[in-house]
Amino acid sequence: MLKGKHIILGITGSIAAYKAATLTRLLVKEGATVKVVMTPLAKEFITPLTMATLSKSPIMVDFYNPENGDWNSHVDLGLWADLYLVAPASANTIGKMANGIADNLLLTTYLSAKCTVMVAPAMDLDMYRHPATQRNLEILRSFGNIIIEPESGELASGLIGKGRMEEPEQIVEFLKRHFERQEDFKGKKVLITAGPTYEKIDPVRFIGNYSSGKMGIALAEELAGRGAEVLLVCGPVNQKTSHPAIHWVDVESASQMCEVAVKEFPGCDLAILSAAVADFTPKEKANCKIKREKEDLLLELMPTQDIAAELGQMKKDSQLLVGFALETNDEESNACSKMQRKNLDMIVLNSLNDKGAGFGGDTNKVTIMHREGEKNVYELKTKVEVAKDIADQIAARYLMGS
Protein backbone atom coordinates (compact mmCIF):
# COMPACT_ATOMS: atom_id res chain seq x y z
CA MET A 1 0.00 0.00 0.00
CA LEU A 2 2.98 2.37 0.32
CA LYS A 3 4.43 1.77 -3.14
CA GLY A 4 4.57 5.06 -5.04
CA LYS A 5 3.32 7.11 -2.09
CA HIS A 6 4.93 10.50 -1.41
CA ILE A 7 5.72 10.85 2.28
CA ILE A 8 7.25 13.80 4.10
CA LEU A 9 8.99 12.75 7.30
CA GLY A 10 9.38 15.60 9.78
CA ILE A 11 12.03 15.07 12.45
CA THR A 12 12.18 17.25 15.57
CA GLY A 13 14.66 17.65 18.39
CA SER A 14 14.07 14.51 20.42
CA ILE A 15 16.25 11.64 21.54
CA ALA A 16 13.81 9.40 19.63
CA ALA A 17 15.16 10.91 16.39
CA TYR A 18 17.39 7.85 16.13
CA LYS A 19 14.26 5.83 15.31
CA ALA A 20 13.72 8.03 12.24
CA ALA A 21 16.60 6.23 10.53
CA THR A 22 14.91 2.82 10.80
CA LEU A 23 11.55 4.36 9.94
CA THR A 24 12.94 5.91 6.76
CA ARG A 25 14.65 2.68 5.71
CA LEU A 26 11.40 0.73 6.17
CA LEU A 27 9.33 3.28 4.24
CA VAL A 28 11.76 3.24 1.31
CA LYS A 29 11.82 -0.57 1.40
CA GLU A 30 8.01 -0.53 1.05
CA GLY A 31 8.33 1.54 -2.11
CA ALA A 32 7.53 4.99 -0.74
CA THR A 33 9.34 8.13 -1.85
CA VAL A 34 10.48 9.91 1.29
CA LYS A 35 11.54 13.53 1.70
CA VAL A 36 12.91 14.47 5.11
CA VAL A 37 12.43 17.84 6.78
CA MET A 38 14.39 18.42 9.99
CA THR A 39 14.27 21.16 12.57
CA PRO A 40 17.66 22.78 13.32
CA LEU A 41 17.70 21.10 16.74
CA ALA A 42 17.00 17.66 15.19
CA LYS A 43 20.51 17.81 13.65
CA GLU A 44 21.90 17.59 17.19
CA PHE A 45 20.38 14.12 17.56
CA ILE A 46 20.82 12.57 14.10
CA THR A 47 22.90 13.79 11.17
CA PRO A 48 21.41 14.99 7.86
CA LEU A 49 23.97 12.75 6.11
CA THR A 50 22.46 9.65 7.72
CA MET A 51 18.93 10.67 6.73
CA ALA A 52 19.95 11.69 3.21
CA THR A 53 21.65 8.34 2.67
CA LEU A 54 18.64 6.35 3.88
CA SER A 55 15.99 8.45 2.14
CA LYS A 56 18.00 8.77 -1.08
CA SER A 57 17.05 12.44 -1.17
CA PRO A 58 18.62 15.70 0.05
CA ILE A 59 17.57 16.72 3.57
CA MET A 60 15.70 20.00 4.08
CA VAL A 61 16.34 22.07 7.18
CA ASP A 62 16.41 25.70 6.13
CA PHE A 63 14.32 27.70 3.69
CA TYR A 64 17.41 28.52 1.62
CA ASN A 65 20.41 26.37 0.66
CA PRO A 66 23.39 28.72 0.26
CA GLU A 67 25.52 25.91 -1.22
CA ASN A 68 23.44 25.64 -4.39
CA GLY A 69 21.16 28.67 -4.20
CA ASP A 70 17.95 26.59 -4.04
CA TRP A 71 14.84 27.51 -2.09
CA ASN A 72 13.00 24.80 -0.20
CA SER A 73 9.38 25.61 -0.96
CA HIS A 74 7.02 24.59 1.82
CA VAL A 75 4.12 25.21 -0.59
CA ASP A 76 5.48 22.77 -3.17
CA LEU A 77 6.15 20.20 -0.45
CA GLY A 78 2.60 20.53 0.83
CA LEU A 79 1.23 19.88 -2.65
CA TRP A 80 3.63 16.99 -3.36
CA ALA A 81 2.89 14.83 -0.32
CA ASP A 82 0.34 12.06 0.11
CA LEU A 83 1.13 12.02 3.83
CA TYR A 84 3.03 14.21 6.28
CA LEU A 85 4.42 12.24 9.21
CA VAL A 86 6.07 14.09 12.10
CA ALA A 87 8.08 11.45 13.97
CA PRO A 88 9.37 12.08 16.49
CA ALA A 89 7.20 15.05 17.45
CA SER A 90 8.50 16.93 20.48
CA ALA A 91 6.25 18.77 22.95
CA ASN A 92 7.67 22.03 21.60
CA THR A 93 6.75 21.26 17.97
CA ILE A 94 3.33 19.89 18.93
CA GLY A 95 2.62 23.15 20.78
CA LYS A 96 3.66 25.22 17.77
CA MET A 97 1.59 23.10 15.38
CA ALA A 98 -1.48 23.50 17.58
CA ASN A 99 -1.10 27.27 17.72
CA GLY A 100 -0.14 28.05 14.14
CA ILE A 101 3.45 29.09 14.85
CA ALA A 102 5.62 28.77 11.74
CA ASP A 103 9.22 29.58 12.65
CA ASN A 104 10.96 26.81 10.71
CA LEU A 105 10.56 24.81 7.49
CA LEU A 106 8.93 21.85 9.21
CA LEU A 107 6.16 24.04 10.61
CA THR A 108 5.54 26.11 7.48
CA THR A 109 5.27 22.84 5.55
CA TYR A 110 2.73 21.61 8.11
CA LEU A 111 0.57 24.70 7.60
CA SER A 112 0.82 24.25 3.82
CA ALA A 113 0.10 20.50 3.72
CA LYS A 114 -2.96 19.43 1.74
CA CYS A 115 -2.59 15.80 2.78
CA THR A 116 -3.25 13.77 5.92
CA VAL A 117 -0.95 14.69 8.80
CA MET A 118 0.17 12.13 11.37
CA VAL A 119 1.99 12.97 14.57
CA ALA A 120 4.05 10.51 16.65
CA PRO A 121 4.79 12.18 20.02
CA ALA A 122 8.02 11.46 21.87
CA MET A 123 8.85 13.00 25.25
CA ASP A 124 9.20 12.28 28.94
CA LEU A 125 6.09 11.12 30.79
CA ASP A 126 5.59 14.36 32.76
CA MET A 127 5.80 16.43 29.59
CA TYR A 128 3.39 14.11 27.81
CA ARG A 129 0.74 14.13 30.52
CA HIS A 130 1.03 17.88 31.21
CA PRO A 131 -2.34 19.60 30.60
CA ALA A 132 -0.75 21.91 28.01
CA THR A 133 0.51 18.97 25.93
CA GLN A 134 -2.79 17.11 26.21
CA ARG A 135 -4.68 20.25 25.19
CA ASN A 136 -2.38 20.72 22.19
CA LEU A 137 -2.90 17.12 21.11
CA GLU A 138 -6.66 17.59 21.33
CA ILE A 139 -6.37 20.69 19.17
CA LEU A 140 -4.43 18.74 16.55
CA ARG A 141 -7.07 16.00 16.62
CA SER A 142 -9.78 18.62 16.11
CA PHE A 143 -7.89 19.74 12.98
CA GLY A 144 -8.22 16.19 11.64
CA ASN A 145 -4.59 15.30 12.35
CA ILE A 146 -3.98 11.68 13.39
CA ILE A 147 -2.05 11.04 16.59
CA ILE A 148 0.02 7.85 16.71
CA GLU A 149 -0.13 7.22 20.43
CA PRO A 150 3.20 6.80 22.23
CA GLU A 151 4.02 3.61 24.10
CA SER A 152 4.69 3.08 27.79
CA GLY A 153 8.12 1.90 28.86
CA GLU A 154 11.55 3.03 29.98
CA LEU A 155 12.27 6.60 28.87
CA ALA A 156 15.56 8.42 28.27
CA SER A 157 15.23 9.99 31.73
CA GLY A 158 15.25 6.53 33.31
CA LEU A 159 11.61 6.90 34.37
CA ILE A 160 8.95 4.39 33.38
CA GLY A 161 5.77 5.66 31.75
CA LYS A 162 4.00 6.78 28.60
CA GLY A 163 5.98 8.90 26.17
CA ARG A 164 8.09 6.52 24.04
CA MET A 165 7.58 7.07 20.33
CA GLU A 166 5.88 4.09 18.72
CA GLU A 167 8.33 1.67 17.14
CA PRO A 168 9.09 2.21 13.42
CA GLU A 169 7.71 -1.19 12.39
CA GLN A 170 4.36 -0.38 14.03
CA ILE A 171 4.25 3.08 12.47
CA VAL A 172 4.75 1.57 9.00
CA GLU A 173 1.86 -0.84 9.63
CA PHE A 174 -0.24 2.09 10.81
CA LEU A 175 0.49 3.92 7.56
CA LYS A 176 -0.40 0.86 5.50
CA ARG A 177 -3.79 0.58 7.22
CA HIS A 178 -4.36 4.28 6.62
CA PHE A 179 -3.89 3.98 2.87
CA GLU A 180 -5.99 0.82 2.77
CA ARG A 181 -8.83 2.71 4.49
CA GLN A 182 -8.61 5.51 1.94
CA GLU A 183 -10.25 3.27 -0.62
CA ASP A 184 -12.46 0.89 1.40
CA PHE A 185 -15.64 2.85 0.57
CA LYS A 186 -14.69 3.46 -3.05
CA GLY A 187 -17.69 3.09 -5.35
CA LYS A 188 -20.18 3.24 -2.45
CA LYS A 189 -22.98 5.79 -2.35
CA VAL A 190 -23.79 6.88 1.19
CA LEU A 191 -26.75 8.82 2.58
CA ILE A 192 -26.11 10.65 5.86
CA THR A 193 -28.58 12.73 7.86
CA ALA A 194 -27.17 15.28 10.28
CA GLY A 195 -28.04 18.17 12.55
CA PRO A 196 -31.37 19.10 14.17
CA THR A 197 -34.77 19.69 12.63
CA TYR A 198 -36.82 22.80 13.34
CA GLU A 199 -40.58 22.38 13.64
CA LYS A 200 -42.29 25.74 13.17
CA ILE A 201 -44.78 27.09 15.68
CA ASP A 202 -45.18 30.41 13.86
CA PRO A 203 -42.95 32.45 11.50
CA VAL A 204 -40.47 33.29 14.30
CA ARG A 205 -40.61 30.33 16.72
CA PHE A 206 -39.89 26.63 16.45
CA ILE A 207 -39.39 23.41 18.38
CA GLY A 208 -35.82 22.18 18.03
CA ASN A 209 -32.84 20.72 19.89
CA TYR A 210 -29.18 21.43 20.58
CA SER A 211 -27.67 19.27 17.82
CA SER A 212 -24.73 20.98 16.06
CA GLY A 213 -24.43 18.49 13.19
CA LYS A 214 -20.74 17.96 14.00
CA MET A 215 -21.02 14.18 14.27
CA GLY A 216 -22.81 13.78 10.94
CA ILE A 217 -20.45 16.15 9.17
CA ALA A 218 -17.44 14.29 10.60
CA LEU A 219 -18.92 11.04 9.28
CA ALA A 220 -19.50 12.58 5.85
CA GLU A 221 -15.91 13.81 5.67
CA GLU A 222 -14.50 10.50 6.90
CA LEU A 223 -16.41 8.39 4.38
CA ALA A 224 -15.78 10.82 1.53
CA GLY A 225 -12.08 10.68 2.40
CA ARG A 226 -12.27 6.90 2.09
CA GLY A 227 -13.72 6.96 -1.41
CA ALA A 228 -17.48 7.20 -0.89
CA GLU A 229 -19.88 9.46 -2.74
CA VAL A 230 -21.80 11.12 0.10
CA LEU A 231 -25.22 12.75 0.11
CA LEU A 232 -25.43 14.79 3.33
CA VAL A 233 -28.97 15.83 4.25
CA CYS A 234 -28.51 18.40 6.98
CA GLY A 235 -30.79 20.43 9.20
CA PRO A 236 -29.98 24.02 10.25
CA VAL A 237 -26.32 24.14 11.40
CA ASN A 238 -23.46 26.64 11.38
CA GLN A 239 -20.71 24.23 10.34
CA LYS A 240 -20.03 23.47 6.67
CA THR A 241 -17.76 21.22 4.61
CA SER A 242 -16.13 21.76 1.24
CA HIS A 243 -15.15 18.16 0.41
CA PRO A 244 -15.76 17.63 -3.34
CA ALA A 245 -17.25 14.15 -2.79
CA ILE A 246 -19.96 15.48 -0.44
CA HIS A 247 -23.23 16.74 -1.92
CA TRP A 248 -24.92 18.88 0.75
CA VAL A 249 -28.73 19.21 0.87
CA ASP A 250 -30.20 21.74 3.31
CA VAL A 251 -33.51 20.95 5.00
CA GLU A 252 -35.33 22.44 7.96
CA SER A 253 -38.14 20.17 9.17
CA ALA A 254 -38.45 16.46 9.83
CA SER A 255 -40.89 16.12 6.93
CA GLN A 256 -38.40 17.74 4.54
CA MET A 257 -35.57 15.49 5.77
CA CYS A 258 -37.78 12.42 5.44
CA GLU A 259 -38.83 13.36 1.92
CA VAL A 260 -35.23 13.61 0.72
CA ALA A 261 -34.11 10.47 2.58
CA VAL A 262 -36.97 8.33 1.23
CA LYS A 263 -36.33 9.58 -2.30
CA GLU A 264 -32.56 9.00 -2.25
CA PHE A 265 -32.19 5.84 -0.16
CA PRO A 266 -33.10 3.34 -2.94
CA GLY A 267 -30.03 4.45 -4.89
CA CYS A 268 -27.65 4.19 -1.92
CA ASP A 269 -25.56 1.34 -0.56
CA LEU A 270 -25.54 2.68 2.97
CA ALA A 271 -27.46 5.17 5.11
CA ILE A 272 -26.29 6.60 8.44
CA LEU A 273 -29.01 8.42 10.35
CA SER A 274 -27.12 10.67 12.75
CA ALA A 275 -29.59 13.60 12.66
CA ALA A 276 -31.44 14.56 15.85
CA VAL A 277 -34.88 14.56 14.26
CA ALA A 278 -37.72 16.11 16.27
CA ASP A 279 -40.21 13.47 17.44
CA PHE A 280 -43.12 15.92 17.46
CA THR A 281 -44.29 18.87 15.41
CA PRO A 282 -47.11 21.40 16.08
CA LYS A 283 -50.42 20.22 14.67
CA GLU A 284 -51.32 23.78 13.71
CA LYS A 285 -48.69 26.27 12.53
CA ALA A 286 -49.67 29.92 12.84
CA ASN A 287 -49.22 32.09 9.73
CA CYS A 288 -48.54 35.17 11.86
CA LYS A 289 -46.50 35.69 14.99
CA ILE A 290 -48.45 34.53 18.02
CA LYS A 291 -48.94 37.47 20.40
CA ARG A 292 -48.43 37.15 24.08
CA GLU A 293 -51.69 36.97 26.03
CA LYS A 294 -52.54 36.63 29.69
CA GLU A 295 -53.88 33.13 29.20
CA ASP A 296 -51.69 30.04 28.85
CA LEU A 297 -50.75 29.01 25.34
CA LEU A 298 -51.48 25.36 24.59
CA LEU A 299 -49.70 23.65 21.72
CA GLU A 300 -51.08 20.42 20.32
CA LEU A 301 -48.28 18.25 18.98
CA MET A 302 -48.38 15.30 16.63
CA PRO A 303 -45.67 12.75 15.83
CA THR A 304 -43.26 13.51 12.98
CA GLN A 305 -42.50 10.96 10.30
CA ASP A 306 -40.13 8.27 11.59
CA ILE A 307 -37.26 8.36 9.07
CA ALA A 308 -35.48 5.32 10.47
CA ALA A 309 -38.65 3.23 10.40
CA GLU A 310 -39.48 4.40 6.86
CA LEU A 311 -36.04 3.44 5.54
CA GLY A 312 -36.05 0.22 7.56
CA GLN A 313 -39.19 -0.90 5.74
CA MET A 314 -37.67 0.00 2.37
CA LYS A 315 -34.26 -1.56 3.02
CA LYS A 316 -33.08 -4.28 0.64
CA ASP A 317 -30.73 -7.10 1.65
CA SER A 318 -27.91 -5.38 -0.24
CA GLN A 319 -28.29 -2.15 1.76
CA LEU A 320 -26.95 -1.24 5.18
CA LEU A 321 -28.84 0.98 7.62
CA VAL A 322 -27.10 2.55 10.64
CA GLY A 323 -28.95 4.53 13.30
CA PHE A 324 -28.08 6.62 16.35
CA ALA A 325 -29.61 6.53 19.81
CA LEU A 326 -29.18 9.29 22.39
CA GLU A 327 -30.47 7.97 25.69
CA THR A 328 -30.78 9.14 29.30
CA ASN A 329 -31.78 5.85 30.97
CA ASP A 330 -31.77 2.11 30.23
CA GLU A 331 -29.41 3.05 27.43
CA GLU A 332 -28.44 -0.31 25.95
CA SER A 333 -31.87 -1.92 26.17
CA ASN A 334 -33.52 1.14 24.60
CA ALA A 335 -30.93 1.24 21.81
CA CYS A 336 -31.27 -2.50 21.13
CA SER A 337 -35.06 -2.19 21.02
CA LYS A 338 -34.81 0.70 18.55
CA MET A 339 -32.45 -1.29 16.34
CA GLN A 340 -34.82 -4.27 16.20
CA ARG A 341 -38.04 -2.26 15.74
CA LYS A 342 -36.67 -0.15 12.92
CA ASN A 343 -34.77 -2.88 11.10
CA LEU A 344 -31.36 -1.30 11.59
CA ASP A 345 -28.18 -3.29 11.03
CA MET A 346 -26.13 -1.27 13.50
CA ILE A 347 -26.79 1.45 16.05
CA VAL A 348 -24.48 4.01 17.67
CA LEU A 349 -25.43 4.68 21.28
CA ASN A 350 -24.44 7.70 23.30
CA SER A 351 -25.74 8.75 26.68
CA LEU A 352 -26.32 12.19 28.15
CA ASN A 353 -25.09 10.67 31.42
CA ASP A 354 -21.55 10.53 29.98
CA LYS A 355 -19.61 13.75 30.48
CA GLY A 356 -18.44 15.15 27.15
CA ALA A 357 -20.97 13.19 25.07
CA GLY A 358 -24.09 14.41 23.33
CA PHE A 359 -25.02 17.65 21.60
CA GLY A 360 -22.90 20.65 20.76
CA GLY A 361 -19.40 19.63 21.82
CA ASP A 362 -16.42 18.31 19.91
CA THR A 363 -16.28 14.98 21.75
CA ASN A 364 -18.47 11.92 22.06
CA LYS A 365 -18.46 8.61 23.90
CA VAL A 366 -20.21 5.84 22.02
CA THR A 367 -21.10 2.18 22.13
CA ILE A 368 -21.56 0.54 18.71
CA MET A 369 -24.08 -2.29 18.73
CA HIS A 370 -24.78 -4.76 15.92
CA ARG A 371 -27.99 -6.60 15.12
CA GLU A 372 -26.30 -9.96 15.73
CA GLY A 373 -25.56 -8.93 19.32
CA GLU A 374 -21.92 -7.80 19.16
CA LYS A 375 -21.08 -4.67 21.15
CA ASN A 376 -18.04 -2.37 21.03
CA VAL A 377 -17.55 0.18 23.80
CA TYR A 378 -15.27 3.19 23.18
CA GLU A 379 -13.70 5.80 25.43
CA LEU A 380 -14.41 9.52 25.12
CA LYS A 381 -12.94 10.77 21.83
CA THR A 382 -13.24 13.66 19.43
CA LYS A 383 -16.12 13.34 16.98
CA VAL A 384 -13.56 13.10 14.17
CA GLU A 385 -12.08 10.01 15.85
CA VAL A 386 -15.55 8.59 16.58
CA ALA A 387 -16.37 8.93 12.88
CA LYS A 388 -13.28 6.83 12.07
CA ASP A 389 -14.37 4.16 14.58
CA ILE A 390 -17.86 3.99 13.07
CA ALA A 391 -16.49 3.80 9.53
CA ASP A 392 -14.01 1.08 10.59
CA GLN A 393 -16.84 -0.98 12.10
CA ILE A 394 -18.93 -0.67 8.94
CA ALA A 395 -16.00 -1.53 6.68
CA ALA A 396 -14.82 -4.50 8.74
CA ARG A 397 -18.24 -6.13 9.21
CA TYR A 398 -20.20 -5.26 6.10
CA LEU A 399 -17.94 -4.17 3.24
CA MET A 400 -15.06 -6.63 3.23
CA GLY A 401 -15.41 -8.85 0.22
CA SER A 402 -18.41 -6.91 -1.11
Side-chain angles (χ1 to χ4, degrees):
M1 291 305 299
L2 299 183
K3 187 175 181 179
K5 299 299 183 184
H6 294 173
I7 298 175
I8 300 173
L9 176 61
I11 305 174
T12 71
S14 164
I15 188 62
Y18 77 91
K19 293 184 179 181
T22 302
L23 179 57
T24 300
R25 181 180 61 81
L26 292 173
L27 291 172
V28 171
K29 186 178 179 180
E30 290 287 340
T33 300
V34 180
K35 291 187 178 182
V36 177
V37 180
M38 302 175 69
T39 64
L41 188 57
K43 296 190 298 180
E44 303 295 322
F45 292 89
I46 191 166
T47 68
L49 177 60
T50 297
M51 298 311 304
T53 302
L54 293 171
S55 67
K56 300 179 173 58
S57 180
I59 304 308
M60 292 166 281
V61 178
D62 300 310
F63 295 99
Y64 177 66
N65 292 324
E67 293 85 1
N68 55 23
D70 288 341
W71 286 96
N72 290 319
S73 171
H74 56 281
V75 175
D76 289 345
L77 279 170
L79 293 170
W80 173 83
D82 296 308
L83 178 78
Y84 189 4
L85 170 64
V86 183
S90 66
N92 180 54
T93 292
I94 289 171
K96 290 180 177 181
M97 292 170 70
N99 290 280
I101 297 172
D103 59 0
N104 60 43
L105 183 60
L106 185 150
L107 292 163
T108 55
T109 302
Y110 165 68
L111 293 178
S112 301
K114 305 292 185 184
C115 59
T116 299
V117 176
M118 294 187 183
V119 178
M123 63 199 74
D124 207 67
L125 76 163
D126 293 315
M127 296 178 71
Y128 178 73
R129 66 189 181 191
H130 193 281
T133 302
Q134 292 302 310
R135 179 199 63 199
N136 290 332
L137 288 170
E138 284 304 312
I139 291 172
L140 292 184
R141 289 187 182 98
S142 73
F143 294 162
N145 301 161
I146 299 170
I147 308 301
I148 301 176
E149 292 290 333
E151 292 294 306
S152 294
E154 185 175 355
L155 304 169
S157 64
L159 299 175
I160 306 294
K162 190 170 184 178
R164 289 171 56 99
M165 185 180 106
E166 179 62 276
E167 294 304 316
E169 294 80 4
Q170 296 304 314
I171 292 177
V172 170
E173 290 303 313
F174 193 93
L175 266 60
K176 287 182 181 178
R177 290 194 298 271
H178 166 75
F179 284 112
E180 286 172 357
R181 285 196 299 268
Q182 280 193 326
E183 297 186 352
D184 55 6
F185 283 85
K186 188 175 182 179
K188 301 297 181 183
K189 187 171 182 180
V190 180
L191 168 69
I192 298 177
T193 65
T197 65
Y198 289 175
E199 309 301 320
K200 283 187 176 180
I201 298 172
D202 64 19
V204 297
R205 301 181 181 93
F206 61 86
I207 297 172
N209 56 59
Y210 297 112
S211 175
S212 64
K214 291 178 180 178
M215 189 70 253
I217 294 170
L219 279 165
E221 291 179 336
E222 175 67 17
L223 294 180
R226 293 164 72 157
E229 178 186 348
V230 179
L231 176 65
L232 180 60
V233 186
C234 196
V237 298
N238 293 321
Q239 189 175 351
K240 295 293 181 182
T241 181
S242 59
H243 197 291
I246 299 175
H247 176 58
W248 185 298
V249 177
D250 284 309
V251 296
E252 183 176 77
S253 66
S255 62
Q256 292 171 348
M257 184 174 284
C258 185
E259 181 181 358
V260 177
V262 168
K263 178 183 176 183
E264 299 294 340
F265 182 55
C268 294
D269 301 289
L270 161 67
I272 304 176
L273 308 180
S274 64
V277 183
D279 292 318
F280 297 93
T281 189
K283 191 171 185 179
E284 300 291 338
K285 297 173 175 61
N287 294 323
C288 301
K289 180 183 176 182
I290 300 172
K291 299 297 183 182
R292 178 172 178 170
E293 304 290 347
K294 292 183 179 179
E295 296 80 12
D296 293 342
L297 174 65
L298 298 178
L299 289 176
E300 186 176 359
L301 304 178
M302 62 180 185
T304 57
Q305 292 172 276
D306 190 331
I307 299 174
E310 293 271 358
L311 300 192
Q313 290 179 354
M314 298 169 56
K315 184 169 73 75
K316 297 176 289 190
D317 291 342
S318 59
Q319 292 177 300
L320 180 70
L321 187 57
V322 179
F324 271 65
L326 176 62
E327 302 291 343
T328 58
N329 62 286
D330 299 325
E331 290 95 337
E332 290 191 11
S333 61
N334 285 336
C336 186
S337 174
K338 179 177 180 179
M339 180 167 51
Q340 299 297 330
R341 285 184 288 107
K342 301 188 181 184
N343 196 26
L344 307 177
D345 299 287
M346 178 175 133
I347 196 163
V348 181
L349 166 66
N350 46 195
S351 171
L352 285 180
N353 294 318
D354 291 322
K355 186 178 179 181
F359 291 146
D362 294 322
T363 58
N364 207 352
K365 184 178 185 296
V366 303
T367 298
I368 298 177
M369 304 170 68
H370 298 272
R371 193 176 182 86
E372 298 82 3
E374 183 181 335
K375 178 178 70 175
N376 301 89
V377 182
Y378 296 87
E379 296 301 317
L380 184 71
K381 299 184 180 184
T382 67
K383 289 181 177 177
V384 171
E385 292 175 304
V386 172
K388 289 183 173 64
D389 290 334
I390 295 170
D392 287 347
Q393 283 283 315
I394 294 170
R397 289 184 60 90
Y398 304 105
L399 297 187
M400 294 304 181
S402 64

